[in-house]
Amino acid sequence: MKELANEKVCLALGYFDSVHLGHRKLIDVTRKTAAEHGIGCAVSTFSNNAYKVFNSDGKQVYTYAERCELLSELCDYILPMRFDAHLKSKTASEFLDMLFAKHNIAAVVCGYDYLFGAGASGDSDFLKEYCSQHGTDCVVVDKFELDGVRVSTSLVKELLSCGEMEKANEYLGAPFSVSGKVVHGRGAGRMFDIPTANLKISTAKLLPAAGVYGTSCVINGETYYGATNVGARPTFGITKQAVETMISDFDDNIYDADMTIYFHKRLRGVKKFETPAELSKQIHGDIRWNK
């Protein structure tokens, strides 16, 4: 993904923190508007965890790196902004003045509920008036609903926190994913004769409710299915939270590799088994959830 430099663009304004269906619709409008003007399509997003400026416990559905991977399939350029006390203190006019002075923006697109500037003083009407004064096209996208439900990041977060993976995926428009580096774990996979990948996850990342999920991952261009345990491992008396994936029909060494795991459905909750043998039997069934 190329970062925005001096190219003339149509810019989608927002956080796009979960790249859900509403975000995708807005970016689609941006792409079509850019094509009409014969310019590039760019999307703004925060390069840090903006939620922490307001709430120290705030988690992101997708980290900045994960967001860039998703956005790279939807637009030409990305405009990263760091949301900090300095940016937070800018008035709506100061924020737009800064944006237009730094970048070659020929058109902008935002959602009907887009807010910006200190105290959220700027809204879509303010943006339209500003653009009108500066000879810039401005498109405001209406509310996006699916089956009468307004799609939002807060709704996606709620569904993930409840383990309702299939419904969350419906609103995301793609399987929820987690990216990280494969690290050495406790070696349980060898005990069960199943390749196991333990991911090191960013602390800013929102994880779904504890449980075992039917997942897939892409390794060396090939897709493999399996099951991912999110949470503790009570059968072994381990309370530390982890993301541990058992991969079906795979036997390569992937330590230190970067991996993305795609979550398709919740299979069951975390459970303490009487013996490792019982757990092994369960896991061998879990990893074939899609068969």
Side-chain angles (χ1 to χ4, degrees):
M1 166 61 71
K2 295 180 290 185
E3 291 190 358
L4 182 58
N6 296 316
E7 293 83 353
K8 183 179 288 189
V9 295
C10 176
L11 176 64
L13 286 167
Y15 190 170
F16 303 101
D17 37 356
S18 63
V19 199
H20 58 55
L21 286 177
H23 294 151
R24 290 169 183 264
K25 177 188 175 184
L26 196 151
I27 295 171
D28 185 55
V29 171
T30 306
R31 190 168 58 247
K32 290 177 180 176
T33 304
E36 291 170 1
H37 286 73
I39 56 180
C41 170
V43 175
S44 67
T45 192
F46 294 121
S47 59
N48 62 317
N49 184 358
Y51 296 121
K52 294 201 73 172
V53 178
F54 299 100
N55 176 4
S56 60
D57 295 324
K59 299 284 188 178
Q60 302 174 98
V61 174
Y62 288 120
T63 65
Y64 175 63
E66 291 172 333
R67 233 175 299 134
C68 286
E69 284 294 318
L70 292 168
L71 292 173
S72 67
E73 300 178 0
L74 305 174
C75 66
D76 302 315
Y77 304 99
I78 187 166
L79 193 165
M81 291 184 284
R82 181 171 181 80
F83 189 77
D84 52 20
H86 177 66
L87 185 61
K88 182 182 175 184
S89 67
K90 287 185 177 297
T91 66
S93 292
E94 288 172 341
F95 171 72
L96 293 177
D97 287 344
M98 174 200 71
L99 204 60
F100 278 72
K102 289 178 63 176
H103 304 288
N104 193 355
I105 301 170
V108 295
V109 177
C110 73
Y112 74 102
D113 57 350
Y114 178 60
L115 298 173
F116 59 99
S121 57
D123 58 12
S124 58
D125 287 335
F126 186 100
L127 179 62
K128 284 199 297 185
E129 179 61 26
Y130 182 96
C131 287
S132 176
Q133 294 174 4
H134 290 77
T136 305
D137 286 345
C138 178
V139 179
V140 177
V141 178
D142 291 335
K143 175 172 59 175
F144 180 84
E145 293 184 343
L146 185 64
D147 298 328
V149 177
R150 175 178 172 270
V151 179
S152 67
T153 295
S154 58
L155 175 59
V156 169
K157 284 184 171 183
E158 180 182 344
L159 292 169
L160 290 173
S161 297
C162 294
E164 296 187 40
M165 187 58 64
E166 290 173 276
K167 180 59 71 172
N169 287 346
E170 186 178 349
Y171 292 139
L172 285 171
F176 171 74
S177 61
V178 174
S179 298
K181 188 171 289 293
V182 179
V183 296
H184 287 277
R186 57 198 172 92
R190 290 191 297 272
M191 181 190 305
F192 304 138
D193 193 29
I194 302 172
T196 304
N198 293 268
L199 285 196
K200 183 178 181 180
I201 307 296
S202 167
T203 56
K205 174 75 174 181
L206 174 72
L207 292 176
V212 177
Y213 295 83
T215 56
S216 63
C217 60
V218 178
I219 304 171
N220 297 326
E222 295 290 333
T223 298
Y224 296 89
Y225 289 87
T228 298
N229 184 90
V230 177
R233 282 119 333 151
T235 302
F236 301 97
I238 301 173
T239 58
K240 183 179 179 181
Q241 304 295 295
V243 176
E244 187 175 59
T245 295
M246 275 64 71
I247 308 171
S248 179
D249 304 319
F250 181 80
D251 58 7
D252 288 353
N253 184 345
I254 53 174
Y255 286 123
D256 293 324
D258 293 318
M259 177 184 285
T260 298
I261 298 171
Y262 300 91
F263 288 67
H264 300 280
K265 63 185 295 185
R266 191 171 193 265
L267 302 178
R268 59 181 175 86
V270 173
K271 175 184 176 181
K272 181 178 180 179
F273 290 83
E274 292 299 320
T275 65
E278 290 182 14
L279 173 58
S280 176
K281 181 179 179 181
Q282 178 67 57
I283 290 176
H284 275 85
D286 291 337
I287 64 174
R288 301 197 174 277
W289 62 272
N290 65 315
K291 302 299 184 182

